[in-house]
Amino acid sequence: MAGIQEGVGKLLRRQHDQEHGNILKWLTPIDSAPQQSDYIKRRETGTGQWLLDSAEFQAWLEIDSQTLFCPGIPGAGKTIITAIVVDYLCTRYKDDTKVGIAYIYCNFRRQDEQNLESLLASILKQLAQEQPSIPGSIKDLHDSHEKKGTRPSPDEISRALHSVATNFSRVFLIVDALDECQMTDGCRSKLLSEMFSLRVKTGANLFATSRPILDIKKEFKCEILASDEDVRRYLNGHMSQLPGFVEKRPDLQEEIKTAITGAVEGMYVHY
């Protein structure tokens, strides 16, 4: 009898997990984890430690409803910094089911699929994955649309997102390359508005990177110039890719590193 009950229990759990997975896949097939794994593998040892050790990051980490904004020109390492922050948070809170973490890597090459609906759905899916069962707000969303073959609107996804976020004691939202988020139909401004709304209404913490574009920068304030250590560390790890005569000239290598570091102009942290 006990064996039958155990078997039934396993079957029910398997059905539950399958339903959970099917609903999340219906919400969006996008999976950000492979991107995260790829980016974090590219990290040079020690890169980003200046940010993790900074007083601004530590304050952001400990206090609810905080924002950190890291703008930088192309090549300043913003995406790797984002991956480092995601990795740090996932490691720090891996056993804490009351902390929700969701992240987006915007990419101008994928603008067709990265509309407002899909971006919000990706955040919602990631937060839902951390719950032991499908939140009621997502199941209701699925049940009201799946049979009719329709898709939920951004407003519906937003309401579900706010509802799910309240299930956590802390929520961290990370958005890389805001400048690469499409502007069609106001997608970028609406995404920013949604992130700020979640920060205000649920106490979520927001981390974002972007090229230093005025329309984006004006949404954030206060800036601190980071050291050039990350750029130099990255260059140190790639000197071997330069022509052989450069490898034999330490003075020339130093000249190259100094010139590139000056051109990149570091990265700012806004809070």
Side-chain angles (χ1 to χ4, degrees):
M1 189 69 177
I4 294 176
Q5 290 178 332
E6 183 180 352
V8 171
K10 287 182 179 179
L11 179 61
L12 290 174
R13 285 194 296 274
R14 192 178 301 117
Q15 289 176 334
H16 171 271
D17 292 342
Q18 185 174 3
E19 181 189 27
H20 194 149
N22 288 341
I23 292 177
L24 292 180
K25 189 174 181 179
W26 168 84
L27 188 60
T28 175
I30 295 173
D31 184 2
S32 298
Q35 282 181 294
Q36 169 62 18
S37 297
D38 179 52
Y39 291 137
I40 202 64
K41 285 177 185 175
R42 302 182 196 179
R43 178 189 188 183
E44 295 290 339
T45 302
T47 301
Q49 198 59 46
W50 62 267
L51 175 62
L52 301 180
D53 292 340
S54 70
E56 292 73 28
F57 182 81
Q58 291 301 316
W60 176 80
L61 195 64
E62 299 299 334
I63 304 171
D64 290 349
S65 195
Q66 299 296 303
T67 299
L68 270 182
F69 178 53
C70 291
I73 66 172
K78 299 182 295 297
T79 295
I80 301 302
I81 284 293
T82 300
I84 290 168
V85 169
V86 171
D87 183 66
Y88 179 86
L89 292 172
C90 290
T91 301
R92 180 184 175 103
Y93 297 110
K94 64 179 180 180
D95 297 321
D96 194 337
T97 58
K98 297 303 291 180
V99 175
I101 301 165
Y103 51 92
I104 295 172
Y105 288 100
C106 296
N107 188 327
F108 72 91
R109 294 188 183 90
R110 299 171 58 196
Q111 285 189 353
D112 289 346
E113 63 184 81
Q114 289 190 333
N115 53 36
L116 182 62
E117 175 195 320
S118 67
L119 292 172
L120 293 180
S122 177
I123 294 173
L124 178 57
K125 176 181 179 179
Q126 291 176 65
L127 293 181
Q129 284 173 328
E130 299 182 41
Q131 298 286 288
S133 60
I134 284 288
S137 57
I138 297 180
K139 192 171 188 315
D140 290 344
L141 205 60
H142 171 267
D143 293 346
S144 65
H145 284 278
E146 199 271 339
K147 289 182 179 179
K148 295 182 289 185
T150 54
R151 293 294 304 170
S153 68
D155 284 343
E156 288 177 303
I157 297 173
S158 174
R159 286 194 291 272
L161 182 54
H162 280 254
S163 175
V164 171
T166 62
N167 293 333
F168 297 94
S169 59
R170 301 289 308 281
V171 173
F172 293 96
L173 305 173
I174 298 94
V175 182
D176 180 57
L178 270 170
D179 56 291
E180 296 192 35
C181 179
Q182 65 168 293
M183 298 181 67
T184 307
D185 297 326
C187 178
R188 188 167 73 195
S189 62
K190 289 176 181 177
L191 176 64
L192 262 177
S193 178
E194 182 63 29
M195 296 300 97
F196 286 131
S197 176
L198 279 165
R199 186 194 65 183
V200 171
K201 295 179 180 179
T202 70
N205 288 40
L206 172 63
F207 179 93
T209 72
S210 170
R211 285 186 298 143
I213 295 174
L214 184 59
D215 285 348
I216 296 177
K217 286 184 67 175
K218 71 181 182 181
E219 300 289 344
F220 305 88
K221 41 189 180 178
C222 300
E223 59 189 41
I224 301 171
L225 181 62
S227 70
D228 296 326
E229 291 176 9
D230 275 2
V231 178
R232 296 186 71 85
R233 188 175 287 113
Y234 176 84
L235 294 173
N236 284 336
H238 289 75
M239 284 290 109
S240 61
Q241 297 177 16
L242 294 175
F245 73 89
V246 177
E247 195 172 354
K248 298 175 183 177
R249 292 274 309 277
D251 59 324
L252 184 54
Q253 291 181 35
E254 187 61 30
E255 212 174 302
I256 291 171
K257 286 185 279 189
T258 299
I260 293 177
T261 300
V264 169
E265 298 175 335
M267 183 181 295
Y268 289 89
V269 178
H270 296 237
Y271 61 95

